[in-house]
Amino acid sequence: MTSQPNTGPDSAAQDMSPAEIQAVIDRILSKDTPARKAAPAAGEPTSVLGKAQAISRQDEEHSNYDGDQQDLEERHALRRTAGLSTELEDVTEVEYRQLRLERVVLAGLWTEGTLADAENSLRELAALAETAGSEVLDGIVQRRAKPDPGTFLGSGKAQELKDIVMSTGADTVVVDAELAPSQRRSLEDIVKVKVIDRTALILDIFAQHAKSREGKAQVELAQLEYLLPRLRGWGDSMSRQAGGQVGGAGAGMGSRGPGETKIELDRRRIRTRMAKLRREIAAMKPARETKRANRRRNSVPSVAIAGYTNAGKSSLLNRLTDAGVLVENALFATLDPTVRKAETSDGLGYTLADTVGFVRSLPTQLVEAFRSTLEEVADADLILHVVDVSHPDPEGQIAAVRKVFSEVDARKVPEIIVLNKADAADPFVIERLKQREPRHVVVSARTGEGIPELLKAISEGIPRPSVKLELMIPYNRGDLLSKLHETDAEILSLDHEEAGTRAVVMVREGFAAELDSFISND
């Protein structure tokens, strides 16, 4: 879109200091300038610039354990480009229009906590916006006790936001909260560009990154649930005409009134589509439950890798199992759960499941839509809670993840805090978290630091065989001996005697019943 020039008085421009003029130039040129450090007065918006701290600054993104990353090459095959015009001067520009980066301005409220907390939240929003494929030009934080019910920021601050949008040439405003439909409409009427909230932004990222059939269905369901109360209609001009005797004042029975409006038709179609998606997701659930039941029947321990988005969960899975799943320095890079088989150093088998990442104020629609996927966390025997210790607020990440654990009934599952990215973190922060979380392991999935300690903690944390048996296995039952060497038993001793093999083993209760006839009575 083409922004209109600011029609303010010339005296206002003359009163600007050289530093303020340079700041306007920097915003127009999209330069990366540091944020202001001075605390604002009550109600004064604070400009927040600078790189998003939610995305790490590590130079090397991948290790040898991440594999070829062919999925990442496919994702990067279509890159967005900054600086392309939105006005179509030639038909050949149509193919470039989808590549153009949206130019966005961020807006948030500082209602509680410290200014640093509010700025971190806005920088995380900047990281989300960059992941969605946009260029962040500027951001403001306003000190306010509670959001304005009409325009979220208040009418005066909304006008100031409009001035920032016009001076930077932005075409989108992203608000760091979930807006009511009326707030979004009112704010759009003031700033004259598209306004989206944090929930819509996260849903857009999920829609881009979902690959599996189930993941796409879950994301579409969440988007429709978000869209349904936010539909905007065109009033009676879009009403559906009734049949019957048309032409007179009395058009016949059944034709009085405006009929079914266009917005009502849209709502009905959305509800129909949502019902179909729920049936599809419910139909996919038995297959996952069958696989989970097989693991339970064979008493295979399960370990779930969970944590904040971009904390390094997929990198950790690749390091532990050579899974080769997609790794990208972006928020919500992987959505579909990945389950891989692993073994302890003494040969006990277990499964490792990578799950979807969490974030502050994770939309309720996503928690409900991905509830079937998050069951992997609730049904696990052990949770590896991965935390990015290089992040400015790791304690806030831990609190946000544990809130989602409570929503999916996973708080009772044993948990190990995995302090990841130790190679890029402040040692003081690591020590502070070690004091706060008694059950922890410090690792770096990129360099391999702490991985042996993590494997030892997993081996000690998963359920182990609890039934001790002394068996005499005939030589013609080599199949039983082979099964004992597999991953559901722990062999303490083996002696080959004349009558057979005497074995002292630790097995699980289900397997113990099969071995009852071979228990030695000597």
Side-chain angles (χ1 to χ4, degrees):
M1 62 170 288
T2 304
S3 60
Q4 299 297 324
N6 193 350
T7 56
D10 294 339
S11 59
Q14 294 174 358
D15 294 339
M16 294 176 65
S17 66
E20 290 174 331
I21 295 175
Q22 185 61 40
V24 173
I25 296 173
D26 288 344
R27 281 204 302 269
I28 295 174
L29 297 178
S30 302
K31 288 186 178 180
D32 198 14
T33 57
R36 290 188 302 173
K37 298 298 182 182
E44 180 185 350
T46 302
S47 177
V48 178
L49 300 173
K51 274 291 182 184
Q53 295 185 19
I55 297 180
S56 68
R57 296 177 172 84
Q58 294 182 2
D59 295 332
E60 298 180 15
E61 187 173 329
H62 298 105
S63 69
N64 295 332
Y65 293 87
D66 293 327
D68 295 335
Q69 293 292 310
Q70 295 178 353
D71 291 340
L72 187 61
E73 293 179 7
E74 179 183 349
R75 179 176 291 182
H76 288 174
L78 182 64
R79 285 191 174 272
R80 294 173 180 265
T81 306
L84 293 175
S85 171
T86 57
E87 300 298 330
L88 300 183
E89 300 175 358
D90 188 89
V91 71
T92 57
E93 291 190 20
V94 174
E95 61 178 322
Y96 295 107
R97 191 167 191 164
Q98 63 178 333
L99 300 177
R100 180 186 172 276
L101 288 169
E102 281 190 82
R103 298 163 61 84
V104 304
V105 172
L106 312 179
L109 288 186
W110 171 21
T111 57
E112 58 185 11
T114 64
L115 176 61
D117 294 336
E119 290 186 351
N120 282 335
S121 179
L122 206 67
R123 288 192 176 98
E124 181 177 89
L125 186 70
L128 289 168
E130 291 169 5
T131 302
S134 63
E135 181 183 9
V136 179
L137 304 180
D138 206 343
I140 61 169
V141 174
Q142 183 193 3
R143 177 61 163 162
R144 190 181 177 93
K146 60 181 181 180
D148 184 271
T151 57
F152 184 75
L153 293 174
S155 57
K157 300 306 174 187
Q159 286 291 340
E160 293 184 24
L161 179 62
K162 176 185 177 182
D163 294 340
I164 294 175
V165 168
M166 294 175 66
S167 64
T168 57
D171 48 34
T172 306
V173 170
V174 184
V175 178
D176 191 19
E178 183 169 347
L179 296 178
S182 59
Q183 289 176 321
R184 186 173 68 88
R185 287 196 298 269
S186 300
L187 199 55
E188 277 186 348
D189 292 340
I190 295 174
V191 299
K192 305 300 182 184
V193 295
K194 180 176 67 175
V195 175
I196 64 172
D197 58 15
R198 182 187 182 93
T199 300
L201 182 60
I202 294 174
L203 290 172
D204 182 79
I205 296 172
F206 272 59
Q208 292 182 45
H209 292 177
K211 296 200 64 165
S212 69
R213 180 167 168 260
E214 183 175 12
K216 291 178 179 178
Q218 289 168 330
V219 172
E220 184 180 355
L221 177 60
Q223 286 181 312
L224 292 177
E225 287 179 349
Y226 173 81
L227 177 64
L228 186 59
R230 292 170 172 81
L231 282 179
R232 300 178 70 173
W234 291 91
D236 291 342
S237 62
M238 300 294 284
S239 65
R240 184 179 179 185
Q241 300 298 318
Q245 301 175 0
V246 182
M253 293 182 294
S255 60
R256 299 176 181 88
E260 188 176 31
T261 60
K262 178 67 166 59
I263 193 170
E264 288 168 345
L265 279 171
D266 292 341
R267 284 174 179 156
R268 179 158 53 83
R269 286 171 179 157
I270 286 177
R271 290 191 185 100
T272 302
R273 178 62 179 165
M274 287 169 61
K276 182 180 179 182
L277 288 171
R278 288 193 179 100
R279 289 194 299 269
E280 290 180 359
I281 293 172
M284 300 172 196
K285 189 175 180 180
R288 188 173 47 257
E289 288 183 339
T290 300
K291 295 177 183 177
R292 201 176 296 141
N294 286 336
R295 295 199 294 266
R296 282 200 207 100
R297 185 170 59 252
N298 295 325
S299 301
V300 179
S302 60
V303 179
I305 303 176
Y308 212 77
T309 180
N310 206 42
K313 299 182 297 299
S314 297
S315 298
L316 189 63
L317 179 69
N318 289 344
R319 172 68 69 167
L320 295 175
T321 65
D322 293 329
V325 298
L326 183 143
V327 172
E328 185 179 10
N329 188 20
L331 306 189
F332 298 113
T334 51
L335 302 181
D336 302 315
T338 304
V339 181
R340 291 291 185 270
K341 184 178 179 181
E343 276 190 17
T344 62
S345 57
D346 56 356
L348 188 65
Y350 61 94
T351 60
L352 269 172
D354 183 19
T355 60
V356 64
F358 305 139
V359 75
R360 286 186 187 88
S361 305
L362 188 67
T364 307
Q365 299 93 337
L366 283 174
V367 175
E368 290 301 319
F370 279 79
R371 185 168 293 275
S372 56
T373 301
L374 295 175
E375 287 173 359
E376 291 287 350
V377 179
D379 290 345
D381 297 302
L382 180 67
I383 295 176
L384 300 183
H385 182 169
V386 184
V387 181
D388 178 6
V389 286
S390 66
H391 190 270
D393 184 22
E395 288 91 352
Q397 289 192 350
I398 293 174
V401 171
R402 283 177 173 164
K403 182 180 178 182
V404 181
F405 284 171
S406 299
E407 294 179 12
V408 296
D409 301 324
R411 288 294 289 130
K412 295 181 180 179
V413 181
E415 175 188 22
I416 297 176
I417 297 292
V418 182
L419 304 176
N420 191 28
K421 303 185 184 180
D423 56 316
D426 184 349
F428 175 77
V429 176
I430 296 176
E431 191 61 34
R432 186 180 72 209
L433 288 171
K434 287 168 66 176
Q435 297 294 329
R436 176 188 173 115
E437 301 292 341
R439 195 176 186 186
H440 64 266
V441 181
V442 181
V443 306
S444 170
R446 188 170 66 93
T447 65
E449 174 190 349
I451 294 299
E453 290 80 3
L454 177 59
L455 290 172
K456 181 181 178 182
I458 295 173
S459 178
E460 295 172 352
I462 60 177
R464 304 188 73 87
S466 57
V467 180
K468 185 176 182 179
L469 297 176
E470 184 175 346
L471 308 172
M472 176 58 72
I473 303 175
Y475 287 119
N476 62 351
R477 290 304 308 270
D479 58 317
L480 282 179
L481 195 60
S482 175
K483 195 168 184 180
L484 287 173
H485 279 90
E486 292 178 356
T487 58
D488 54 357
E490 187 175 352
I491 300 176
L492 302 180
S493 67
L494 280 178
D495 292 314
H496 299 288
E497 302 178 357
E498 185 178 350
T501 302
R502 185 178 297 275
V504 180
V505 296
M506 299 290 293
V507 297
R508 305 188 190 278
E509 293 182 2
F511 190 26
E514 298 181 32
L515 302 172
D516 188 59
S517 59
F518 300 97
I519 295 177
S520 174
N521 296 320
D522 296 344

